[in-house]
Amino acid sequence: FGRLRSGLAKSASQLTGNISALFTKRKLDDEALEDLEDVLIRADLGVQAAGRITREIARTRYDKDVDEGEIREALATEVAKTLEPVARPLEIDPAAKPHVVLVVGVNGTGKTTTIGKIAHHERGNGRKVVLCAGDTFRAAAIEQLKIWGERTGAEVIARDQGADAAGLAFDALKTAREQAADLLLIDTAGRLQNKANLMAELEKIVRVLKKQDETAPHSVLLVLDATTGQNAVNQVEVFQQVCNVTGLVMTKLDGTARGGVLVAVAEKFGLPVHYIGVGEQAEDLKPFDARDFARALCG
Ligand code: GDP
């Protein structure tokens, strides 16, 4: 929790600094509520969540004197209530052998790093993990995944840059099945510039996986970068159009003032949030906990 709190310190001060300025001691009238809603929008909670949470806070306190502490506490409660339904662990089906996770997202959001971190976490749980270097567009992504493989003791299935990602995914699943691995994590390229190409590529990967296991992929994880703020909301929309997203990971919650975007995403899509990233190291992936996050965000 300490790590989460320090990671979210900027997001928290963005939110609560403004609340302090508003509510030294003040009547919660229409003007104060409007100001509060504004603060929430500026903290990236999104228009929808900001409006609903403000109304919720007003329900029992309208026209009453409130202080900063009370507003912060009420806010933490409402944020936790918003996040609780989506805070769900990534469940790995032990019967799947392997449970196949396709990891998607825009370039640079942290897909490869998140795969390495999940591999570390699941190796720690005693699971056999295979990684597929499916971002065949970037040589650096392939190299980076190989390093994570060495670090975590997970086998990495890779080909040279430019290779066909679907063919590679097919081979990776074949190997993982032969080895009775528990988990196969497949990296992908995230070139959003051409949505049609991206969709075709992801569809092709899914198609070849299904040739071997019609229930694969068992999870499609969308990785979002908190520092992009409301862009993360747009990315969910786009990726829901190109593939069947089953859950989210939000990275780079350390050191950004835009962590509130997780609330916007939860409110808007209701997709499960499995993990959050709070740094670049293997241990810096945390199972998502709604209350801890709300407390860290609301200071
Ligand atoms: P990809 O293109 O989506 O595969 O993104 P990468 O995994 O290559 O990550 C891009 C950069 O973000 C790298 O420098 C990572 O170390 C960094 N990164 C990933 N996750 C986090 C995180 O949770 N916090 C921080 N601070 N950096 C991260």
Side-chain angles (χ1 to χ4, degrees), residues 172-185:
L173 178 53
K174 188 158 176 284
T175 304
R177 278 164 67 100
E178 282 164 5
Q179 297 184 359
D182 300 296
L183 182 62
L184 170 62
L185 296 161

Side-chain angles (χ1 to χ4, degrees), residues 106-114 117 135 138 144 187 251-254 277-280 284:
V106 174
N107 262 339
T109 52
K111 288 182 298 296
T112 310
T113 308
T114 298
K117 290 169 172 176
D135 182 356
R138 291 192 310 126
Q144 205 186 325
D187 201 0
T251 64
K252 308 188 198 178
L253 280 163
D254 49 308
V278 292
E280 299 186 274
D284 295 335

Side-chain angles (χ1 to χ4, degrees), residues 15 19 23 28-29 32-33 36-37 40 45 49-64 66-79 81-82 298:
L15 187 61
I19 291 175
F23 293 98
L28 198 63
D29 55 14
L33 285 169
L36 176 61
E37 188 173 349
L40 301 185
L45 276 76
R52 188 185 52 74
I53 288 173
T54 304
R55 284 192 298 278
E56 206 52 48
I57 289 174
R59 217 160 43 87
T60 52
R61 297 177 189 82
Y62 186 68
D63 247 0
K64 292 188 179 150
V66 288
D67 62 18
E68 179 203 343
E70 190 184 342
I71 291 296
R72 272 161 69 155
E73 210 175 297
L75 189 57
T77 305
E78 293 306 325
V79 167
K81 267 201 247 164
T82 310
C298 300

